[in-house]
């Protein structure tokens, strides 16, 4: 059974006396990359009822990356451990801690560490970094009081929004759906999930109105099926491609044979044409007869004639020799072209000319999420990765996204993806050098191209943005760290939706046994102007986005809601049992001296 939220809140704010006598909340962070660094920074900037929190960072003895990992941040206690086991957690003071963050990029290793931590401190708020959704679901079942987060999922909306030219990321992915905020007139009626606000009167914006049909700002699902005008525009683009067979043929011929064989064949054909013309002049025949004689002489070597002039005999002999050289060259060109065509098709280098698409470099964790969300929005994507077996390669094939295997830091690779006619280039590989080279080469091909660049170092990203005029630079760790820190301190929020001066929170709330909502119908969750139910999830089942309001809520169910802060606070009280009555007050305790 999940621990009551009130008990967790008391522990998180330092109401429970720590084993070492320090009442400040203590958090243990395990990680050795920029995400751990930014999470530590976010925690240290947090104030609680008992002052600033205490942070212990568990890292390996040697640095595993060139970027910061938090061990040099002032005010952090550092514990070195090559393995996250019970001994390491005891040395870190996990017993009595308010929360533990496991931030290593190893899903299985993080799950093993969570099991070891449970042996040291069972009443623990657990925040785990994990990419695999199946493992994440299993971990939530093992540890109900846990938050399983993916930095890739959190940062992907910012990259997608930047690629599409949005001012801020107004969409998110939850329970297998990509949801986004839009005007009701801009989406299909069947894609609307719920109404969010009535903004027709700028002086009186109403959020979560009782009449959902009156809301002009809605939460909609991205299904990959754009509006009718966009579909028509894409059909016109495909029609234009069909009307350019010469360009497609020329592009295919360019990839058919290697450069050296192509030059040799062209030079030899030029020599044959010149000799054929001279032979025709010497024989005094018409141009059609000259072509016939040249081809027959070159390819067969027939028609010897000792009575011909000496010049004609010499040219005939040279033509025969050229024919002997031409046949092996043609054979080599055909064989080389077949091999190259197979390799090019396998690597994705032969691609039709495109325009208005998004070129995505890197199919790791973040690239896979960005590709999935762009596909959900119906945006055409061309992916580039130097590894044919990248993490997102299988998903790219399943979604029909072309994958070009090659170095994005080379101009020919970017040209094969038609980067000069795309609407945006999103560079999210794990190599800062490759990312920067790809961005600069793309800008040289199209100075007005929108480039979204991932750099691990936030300061470096800002300097690159200023020096090279690349307007959008992102650090995944910097974007995701606040959510990890918030999950340690309280409850993780799926998304925050700004509407005018209001902030709506999308969150998933579990129902605890004995709470006021346990045994009541789903219709009791919604409160006009405060809370609106989005989805209802029973244990070990998928989220139900169209649940019957008459269904009865049971302990262990999870409610996905969009709410104002006051409404969310009231809902947390309704999903948590009332605390036991306080014991009778005794004699006043002696006040501790100030430290």
């Amino acid at each position: 059974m999940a621990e009551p939220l009130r008990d967790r809140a008391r522990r998180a704010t330092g109401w429970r006396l720590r084993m070492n006598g320090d009442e400040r909340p203590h958090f243990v962070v395990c990680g050795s990359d920029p995400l751990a660094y930014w999470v530590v920074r976010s925690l240290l900037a947090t104030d609680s009822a008992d002052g600033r929190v205490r942070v212990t960072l568990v890292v390996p003895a040697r640095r595993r990356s060139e970027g910061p990992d938090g061990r040099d941040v002032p005010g952090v206690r550092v514990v070195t451990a090559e393995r996250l086991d019970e001994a390491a957690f005891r040395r870190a003071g996990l017993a009595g801690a308010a929360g533990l963050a496991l931030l290593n990029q190893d899903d299985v290793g993080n799950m093993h560490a969570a099991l070891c931590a449970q042996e040291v401190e069972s009443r623990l708020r657990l925040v785990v970094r994990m990419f695999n959704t199946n493992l994440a679901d299993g971990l939530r079942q093992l540890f109900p009081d846990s938050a399983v987060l993916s930095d890739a999922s959190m940062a992907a909306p910012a990259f997608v929004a930047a690629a599409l030219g949005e001012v801020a990321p107004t969409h998110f992915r939850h329970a297998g759906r990509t949801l986004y905020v839009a005007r009701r007139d801009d989406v299909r009626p069947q894609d609307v999930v719920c109404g969010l606000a009535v903004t027709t009167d700028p002086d009186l914006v109403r959020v979560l109105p009782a009449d959902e049909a009156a809301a002009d700002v809605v939460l909609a699902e991205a299904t990959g099926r754009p509006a009718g005008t966009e579909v028509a525009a894409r059909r016109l683009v495909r029609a234009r491609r069909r009307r350019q067979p010469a360009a497609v043929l020329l592009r295919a011929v360019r990839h058919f044979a290697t450069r050296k064989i192509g030059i040799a064949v062209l030079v030899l054909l030029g020599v044959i044409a010149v000799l054929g013309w001279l032979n025709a002049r010497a024989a005094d025949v018409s141009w059609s007869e000259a072509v016939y004689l040249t081809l027959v002489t070159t390819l067969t070597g027939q028609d010897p004639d000792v009575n011909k002039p000496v010049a004609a005999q010499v040219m005939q002999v040279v033509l025969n020799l050229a024919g002997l050289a031409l046949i092996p060259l043609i054979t080599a060109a055909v064989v080389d072209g077949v091999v190259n065509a197979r390799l090019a098709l396998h690597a994705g280098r032969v691609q039709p000319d495109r325009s208005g698409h998004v070129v995505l470099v890197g199919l790791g964790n973040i690239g896979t999420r960005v590709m999935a969300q762009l596909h959900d929005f119906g945006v055409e994507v061309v992916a580039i990765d130097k590894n044919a077996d990248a993490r997102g390669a299988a998903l790219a094939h399943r979604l029909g996204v072309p994958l070009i295997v090659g170095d994005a830091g080379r101009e020919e690779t970017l040209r094969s993806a038609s980067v000069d006619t795309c609407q945006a280039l999103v560079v999210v590989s794990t190599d800062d050098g490759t990312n920067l080279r790809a961005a600069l080469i793309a800008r040289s091909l199209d100075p007005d191209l929108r480039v979204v660049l991932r750099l691990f170092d936030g300061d470096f990203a800002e300097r690159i943005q200023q020096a090279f005029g690349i307007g959008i630079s992102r650090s995944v760790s910097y974007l995701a760290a606040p959510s990890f820190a918030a999950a340690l301190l309280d409850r993780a929020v799926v998304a925050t939706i700004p509407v005018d001066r209001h902030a709506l929170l999308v969150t998933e709330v579990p129902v605890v046994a004995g709470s006021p909502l346990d045994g009541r119908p789903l219709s009791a969750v919604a409160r006009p102007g405060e809370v609106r139910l989005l989805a209802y999830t029973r244990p070990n089942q998928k989220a139900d986005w169209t649940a019957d309001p008459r269904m009865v809520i049971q302990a262990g169910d999870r409610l996905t809601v969009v709410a104002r802060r006051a409404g969310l606070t009231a809902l947390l009280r309704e999903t948590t049992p009332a605390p036991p009555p306080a014991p009778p007050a005794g004699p006043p305790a002696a006040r501790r001296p100030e430290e």
Side-chain angles (χ1 to χ4, degrees):
M1 181 184 300
E3 182 187 358
L5 294 178
R6 291 177 183 270
D7 290 346
R8 292 206 302 267
R10 289 193 183 100
R11 187 177 70 247
T13 54
W15 291 5
R16 186 161 60 91
L17 185 64
R18 307 299 167 190
M19 294 180 63
N20 59 1
D22 192 340
E23 295 183 357
R24 293 180 301 165
H26 179 213
F27 297 96
V28 179
V29 178
C30 303
S32 57
D33 61 5
L35 179 60
Y37 169 81
W38 287 112
V39 169
V40 167
R41 289 279 302 270
S42 299
L43 288 173
L44 290 178
T46 302
D47 291 324
S48 67
D50 299 302
R52 292 186 180 275
V53 302
R54 293 183 296 126
V55 178
T56 298
L57 179 65
V58 182
V59 294
R62 291 185 298 178
R63 295 181 184 268
R64 296 180 178 177
S65 63
E66 298 180 357
D69 61 2
R71 71 181 73 200
D72 299 327
V73 176
V76 176
R77 178 184 172 226
V78 178
V79 175
T80 59
E82 297 298 330
R83 179 182 173 85
L84 295 178
D85 52 16
E86 297 177 28
F89 288 132
R90 288 193 174 93
R91 286 192 289 113
L94 186 63
L100 169 66
L102 300 173
L103 306 180
N104 290 323
Q105 294 188 18
D106 181 0
D107 289 356
V108 177
N110 286 340
M111 178 172 283
H112 177 264
L115 294 172
C116 293
Q118 186 75 5
E119 298 296 326
V120 178
E121 175 57 71
S122 58
R123 296 163 57 88
L124 184 69
R125 175 66 173 163
L126 189 63
V127 177
V128 185
R129 176 189 196 177
M130 193 162 287
F131 180 83
N132 189 296
T133 55
N134 294 327
L135 287 178
D137 293 338
L139 192 64
R140 291 189 184 98
Q141 296 176 18
L142 289 174
F143 304 99
D145 186 17
S146 66
V148 185
L149 308 177
S150 168
D151 54 334
S153 297
M154 294 175 185
F159 286 91
V160 173
L164 299 179
E166 299 176 7
V167 177
T170 56
H171 59 274
F172 58 94
R173 191 169 180 84
H174 178 68
R177 287 186 169 190
T178 295
L179 306 178
Y180 67 106
V181 179
R183 296 284 177 182
R184 185 182 291 272
D185 295 338
D186 296 336
V187 298
R188 302 184 306 171
Q190 57 267 37
D191 292 337
V192 175
V193 176
C194 74
L196 292 180
V198 179
T199 61
T200 52
D201 184 0
D203 298 328
L204 182 60
V205 176
R206 294 184 292 125
V207 296
L208 304 179
D211 183 10
E212 287 197 50
D216 59 314
V217 176
V218 299
L219 188 65
E221 179 186 4
T223 60
R225 298 177 181 177
T229 54
E230 295 183 77
V231 172
R234 293 184 185 188
R235 288 176 179 171
L236 290 175
V237 170
R238 288 195 291 268
R240 285 197 296 269
R241 291 175 189 161
R242 296 192 192 100
R243 291 196 295 267
Q244 297 175 351
V248 175
L249 178 62
L250 182 61
R251 189 181 181 90
V253 170
R254 251 195 342 256
H255 291 279
F256 185 74
T258 61
R259 182 183 181 89
K260 291 182 179 180
I261 293 180
I263 292 176
V265 171
L266 291 177
V267 169
L268 188 57
L269 289 176
V271 171
I272 292 174
V274 172
L275 291 175
W277 177 73
L278 294 175
N279 191 22
R281 290 286 300 273
D284 193 19
V285 296
S286 65
W287 68 268
S288 58
E289 294 174 338
V291 170
Y292 168 74
L293 290 176
T294 300
L295 291 177
V296 171
T297 304
T298 301
L299 299 178
T300 66
Q302 300 297 321
D303 193 25
D305 187 358
V306 295
N307 297 322
K308 286 184 177 180
V310 176
Q313 293 180 4
V314 170
M315 285 182 287
Q316 187 177 28
V317 170
V318 175
L319 281 174
N320 289 333
L321 294 176
L324 293 176
L326 180 62
I327 293 175
L329 278 176
I330 292 177
T331 304
V334 171
V335 173
D336 186 63
V338 170
V339 173
N340 281 345
R342 288 180 177 270
L343 293 176
L345 289 173
H346 177 72
R349 292 193 302 268
V350 177
Q351 295 290 335
D353 290 327
R354 292 179 169 86
S355 61
H357 58 294
V358 173
V359 177
L360 174 65
V361 177
L363 284 183
N365 290 352
I366 182 66
T368 302
R369 302 289 190 187
V370 171
M371 176 181 65
Q373 292 192 17
L374 286 173
H375 181 269
D376 286 345
F377 278 102
V379 178
E380 187 178 11
V381 182
V382 176
I384 301 175
D385 198 290
K386 61 183 178 182
N387 184 7
D389 299 322
R391 180 185 288 272
L395 179 61
H397 294 313
R398 190 160 63 249
L399 298 179
V401 174
L403 173 59
I404 299 174
V405 180
D407 183 4
R410 302 180 61 181
E411 181 177 338
E412 54 266 31
T413 305
L414 294 176
R415 284 189 179 277
S416 64
S418 301
V419 74
D420 51 337
T421 57
C422 69
Q423 66 168 303
L425 170 68
V426 182
V427 191
V428 292
S429 77
T430 56
D431 186 346
D432 277 1
T434 300
N435 291 352
L436 186 56
R437 287 198 304 272
L440 295 179
I441 292 174
R443 271 297 177 84
S444 67
L445 298 176
D446 182 4
D448 299 326
L449 178 65
R450 183 187 302 118
V451 177
V452 184
L453 178 62
R454 173 191 184 182
L455 294 174
F456 282 83
D457 190 336
D459 179 69
F460 183 47
E462 293 180 2
R463 295 180 185 275
I464 290 297
Q465 181 171 327
Q466 296 173 1
F468 295 98
I470 297 176
I472 306 168
S473 300
R474 296 284 186 264
S475 169
V476 173
S477 304
Y478 181 80
L479 291 171
S483 296
F484 279 86
L488 274 173
L489 295 168
D490 192 5
R491 175 168 298 278
V493 175
V494 177
T496 301
I497 302 175
V499 179
D500 194 57
R501 295 183 297 272
H502 306 277
L504 300 178
L505 305 177
V506 180
T507 186
E508 191 175 52
V509 180
V511 179
V512 182
S515 62
L517 277 181
D518 186 7
R520 298 189 63 188
L522 282 177
S523 57
V525 176
R527 293 185 179 89
E530 297 292 337
V531 179
R532 177 154 293 150
L533 181 67
L534 296 179
Y536 173 63
T537 308
R538 289 195 178 277
N540 303 323
Q541 295 184 11
K542 294 183 178 180
D544 186 355
W545 295 83
T546 58
D548 190 336
R550 296 171 295 180
M551 292 181 64
V552 177
I553 302 172
Q554 300 177 4
D557 296 344
R558 299 197 304 273
L559 308 173
T560 302
V561 299
V562 54
R564 301 178 67 177
R565 295 186 185 274
L568 180 59
T569 301
L571 180 62
L572 291 176
R573 287 197 296 266
E574 293 290 316
T575 56
T576 308
R591 184 179 180 182
R592 288 176 48 194
E594 297 291 338
E595 296 183 356

